[in-house]
Amino acid sequence: MDAALGLPVLVGLIAVALLFDFLNGLHDAANSIATIVSTRVLRPQFAVFWAAFFNFVAFMVFGLHVAETIGTGIIDPAIVDAQVIFAALVGAIVWNLVTWALGIPSSSSHALIGGLFGAGVAKAGLSAAVWSGLSKTVIAIVLSPLVGFLLAMVLVAIVSWASVRSTPFAVDRAFRILQFASASLYSLGHGGNDAQKTMGIIAVLLYSQGHLGGEFFVPFWVVLSCQAAMAMGTLMGGWRIVRTMGLRITKLTPMQGFCAETGGAATLFMATYLGVPVSTTHTITGAIVGVGAARRLSAVRWNVASSIVYAWVITMPASAIVAALTWWAVKLFVK
């Protein structure tokens, strides 16, 4: 960002970034609570408080590897300025609002990455891209739902074998209790991976302005602000997407909900540790499909699942196009 633009512009852009983080929590709240709501273990109004708490405290568990990837591993930090950050956030926010209104569980993470890519390329061409970081993210688009799918299927097999001598009532009662733990772990993983993406945006903005000195890092006040914004968004809920994720893909029992959440949480923990900005939406959807398919393939509503996949495929290009158009519009307006 041009230093002459001053503090008000910097504060305004940070506010827009936190708005995106809030909308991320609103949009992706369904990822954290869909299964525990659909199995009727918790009512929606209580489930969002449960998820929001673990979203917030995630910074105490994970490092900031994902924030570093977003800040320095998608586009070259040297080309970052006010227009690039603003355009990237607009691209991500517009796509989030469109998919939220339609009840489509798309990826806020990939919307932000697509926005960064589109704005960076609009300013400096393809040389702005950090292809190593982008390739890692694109690979994760395929791997995260696949890993969630496989882990959930394996967990269903394990717990089904372990519960074979128990009555259905006893199994249901046990997994209603265990689902509190699995939902907590998933919300922790969601807060740890997703909030860091906005941290990376704010940190690279501060870095481009010289407010971090000569070294890129994420200030603690940025960490707290982003975790709080995401938790507040989660409190607002995303009921349209909860219905799609928890009710329309497949019918879940508490045991299946536990397996989906645990498989999804394990995937997120691994990705966050490795600094890979995966989609929590992709991960939990893969896990939910996995538990449904473990029962029988016909238990999954494949038409719903396929429409979600279409949204995944177009998320990054769509947000990139919106961001690029926004960059050009701002460029013309500033002139």
Side-chain angles (χ1 to χ4, degrees):
M1 185 175 71
D2 208 334
L5 292 173
L7 186 61
V9 175
L10 180 63
V11 172
L13 283 171
I14 291 173
V16 175
L18 291 175
L19 172 63
F20 167 79
D21 205 29
F22 173 85
L23 291 173
N24 191 348
L26 176 72
H27 190 278
D28 288 0
N31 300 340
S32 300
I33 66 174
T35 49
I36 202 168
V37 169
S38 68
T39 57
R40 295 177 173 82
V41 171
L42 270 182
R43 292 182 179 180
Q45 57 267 40
F46 298 129
V48 289
F49 277 99
W50 188 266
F53 171 76
F54 286 99
N55 275 180
F56 178 73
V57 300
F59 74 93
M60 291 188 262
V61 177
F62 300 101
L64 298 176
H65 306 302
V66 174
E68 291 167 4
T69 299
I70 292 292
T72 62
I74 304 300
I75 59 172
D76 184 356
I79 65 108
V80 171
D81 60 12
Q83 294 175 2
V84 168
I85 294 295
F86 179 73
L89 290 170
V90 168
I93 288 171
V94 167
W95 186 247
N96 268 0
L97 290 174
V98 168
T99 51
W100 174 79
L102 296 174
I104 300 171
S106 67
S107 168
S108 298
S109 307
H110 294 139
L112 181 60
I113 291 166
L116 267 177
F117 177 77
V121 169
K123 177 182 179 181
L126 291 174
S127 62
V130 179
W131 295 107
S132 58
L134 277 169
S135 61
K136 184 166 63 174
T137 301
V138 171
I139 290 170
I141 291 177
V142 177
L143 286 184
S144 60
L146 181 60
V147 172
F149 177 90
L150 293 174
L151 285 177
M153 284 194 75
V154 169
L155 283 167
V156 168
I158 292 171
V159 299
S160 296
W161 176 81
S163 307
V164 71
R165 296 178 182 273
S166 303
T167 65
F169 176 78
V171 171
D172 186 78
R173 183 176 59 183
F175 280 100
R176 282 180 176 274
I177 296 170
L178 287 171
Q179 224 186 328
F180 283 98
S182 61
S184 303
L185 289 172
Y186 190 84
S187 294
L188 199 64
H190 173 236
N193 200 282
D194 268 21
Q196 287 195 42
K197 291 147 192 171
T198 307
M199 294 177 203
I201 287 287
I202 295 175
V204 74
L205 179 62
L206 294 171
Y207 177 76
S208 71
Q209 283 295 280
H211 291 289
L212 301 183
E215 182 180 353
F216 178 88
F217 68 96
V218 183
F220 187 61
W221 68 265
V222 173
V223 174
L224 287 181
S225 300
C226 291
Q227 297 287 174
M230 173 162 285
M232 288 299 295
T234 300
L235 280 176
M236 299 298 291
W239 310 123
R240 293 172 182 267
I241 299 172
V242 167
R243 182 171 177 271
T244 299
M245 296 289 286
L247 302 176
R248 291 181 61 198
I249 295 176
T250 189
K251 186 177 179 181
L252 296 173
T253 65
M255 183 269 281
Q256 291 168 329
F258 168 82
C259 293
E261 289 161 349
T262 304
T267 306
L268 291 179
F269 275 51
M270 287 187 289
T272 304
Y273 175 77
L274 295 172
V276 181
V278 299
S279 166
T280 54
T281 308
H282 293 193
T283 303
I284 195 63
T285 303
I288 290 173
V289 171
V291 297
R295 185 166 71 245
R296 64 182 188 278
L297 290 177
S298 61
V300 178
R301 296 184 178 94
W302 294 104
N303 60 325
V304 177
S306 63
S307 68
I308 292 170
V309 172
Y310 297 147
W312 293 353
V313 171
I314 64 173
T315 288
M316 286 180 68
S319 56
I321 290 169
V322 174
L325 292 174
T326 302
W327 187 88
W328 283 109
V330 172
K331 185 78 170 176
L332 290 172
F333 178 76
V334 170
K335 282 185 176 180

